[in-house]
């Protein structure tokens, strides 16, 4: 049996269909929180499930790791999308980032909280890209450190170390600016 036939088996199709029903909204949020336009985010969710359906690993993924595995695929889909987008239009990227940052700040309840949220987001932008992604996956998407390790393809110990170091850096920077004690 070929890989395509295995991925197209009734059991595999049902598994992917169930995963789609459970995880599509979470994946859509994953892309949107990473400043992807809503229409593009929906397309990226479709691309993620298409890649999962085509993957020969679909049948061997443990059910409790399926969500993290899908988000790992989504991260690769996002990376491809970003590379293409950068080539197309740097100006629209800056505008989109500005607007999404403004919306996130508007969602907070007080001026003080809005200012702190904006400051934290700005500090996160200065972190290395991998550390930014770890922070987003843990604090925005609610993944455990072990799941993040699977998603980004790094050892769990490396994720724990990077997250610990990043939290210390952010704490120190916030204390230095007087935002927290």
């Amino acid at each position: 049996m070929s890989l395509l036939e295995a991925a197209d088996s009734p059991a595999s199709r049902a598994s992917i269909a169930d995963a789609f029903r459970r995880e599509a909204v979470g994946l859509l949020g994953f892309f949107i929180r990473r400043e992807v336009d809503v229409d593009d985010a929906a397309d990226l969710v479709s691309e993620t499930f298409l890649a999962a359906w085509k993957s020969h690993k679909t049948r061997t993924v443990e059910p409790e790791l399926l969500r993290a595995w899908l988000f790992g695929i989504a991260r690769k889909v996002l990376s491809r999308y970003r590379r293409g987008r950068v080539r197309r239009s740097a100006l629209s990227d800056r505008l989109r980032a500005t607007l999404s940052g403004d919306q996130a700040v508007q969602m907070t309840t007080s001026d003080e909280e809005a200012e702190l949220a904006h400051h934290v987001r700005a500090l996160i932008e200065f972190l290395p890209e991998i550390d930014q992604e770890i922070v987003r996956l843990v604090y925005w998407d609610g993944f455990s450190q072990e799941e993040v390790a699977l998603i980004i393809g790094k050892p769990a110990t490396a994720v724990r170390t990077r997250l610990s170091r990043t939290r210390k850096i952010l704490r120190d920077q916030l204390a230095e600016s007087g935002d927290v004690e």
Side-chain angles (χ1 to χ4, degrees), residues 100-119:
S100 69
D102 290 346
Q103 290 171 351
V105 170
Q106 291 171 0
M107 290 173 30
T108 58
T109 56
S110 73
D111 290 341
E112 188 174 298
E113 288 173 344
E115 188 175 319
L116 180 59
H118 181 70
H119 185 64

Side-chain angles (χ1 to χ4, degrees), residues 27 30-31 34 36 40-54 69-85 87-88 133 151:
L27 285 166
F30 170 86
F31 291 120
R34 281 152 183 84
V36 174
D40 288 346
D43 290 341
L44 295 178
V45 170
S46 296
E47 286 180 40
T48 299
F49 279 101
L50 180 61
W53 179 76
K54 286 181 177 181
W69 181 71
L70 284 170
F71 275 78
I73 293 171
R75 189 168 176 270
K76 290 174 186 169
V77 167
L78 179 62
S79 180
R80 274 195 315 273
Y81 168 80
R82 283 182 173 161
R83 282 191 305 270
R85 186 179 71 174
R87 287 189 295 262
R88 288 188 298 272
E133 187 64 6
I151 292 168

Side-chain angles (χ1 to χ4, degrees), residues 43-148:
D43 290 341
L44 295 178
V45 170
S46 296
E47 286 180 40
T48 299
F49 279 101
L50 180 61
W53 179 76
K54 286 181 177 181
S55 174
H56 67 281
K57 294 181 181 178
T58 302
R59 294 180 307 144
T60 61
V61 175
E62 297 294 325
E64 63 273 4
L65 297 177
L66 183 62
R67 181 172 185 253
W69 181 71
L70 284 170
F71 275 78
I73 293 171
R75 189 168 176 270
K76 290 174 186 169
V77 167
L78 179 62
S79 180
R80 274 195 315 273
Y81 168 80
R82 283 182 173 161
R83 282 191 305 270
R85 186 179 71 174
V86 165
R87 287 189 295 262
R88 288 188 298 272
S89 175
L91 178 60
S92 66
D93 289 347
R94 286 193 302 265
L95 178 60
R96 190 176 297 123
T98 300
L99 293 175
S100 69
D102 290 346
Q103 290 171 351
V105 170
Q106 291 171 0
M107 290 173 30
T108 58
T109 56
S110 73
D111 290 341
E112 188 174 298
E113 288 173 344
E115 188 175 319
L116 180 59
H118 181 70
H119 185 64
V120 169
R121 284 182 179 272
L123 291 175
I124 290 171
E125 293 298 319
F126 287 105
L127 296 170
E129 188 173 324
I130 188 70
D131 293 341
Q132 290 179 35
E133 187 64 6
I134 290 170
V135 168
R136 290 176 184 135
L137 286 166
V138 170
Y139 293 103
W140 296 1
D141 298 317
F143 283 101
S144 71
Q145 293 173 27
E146 290 74 21
E147 291 170 325
V148 170

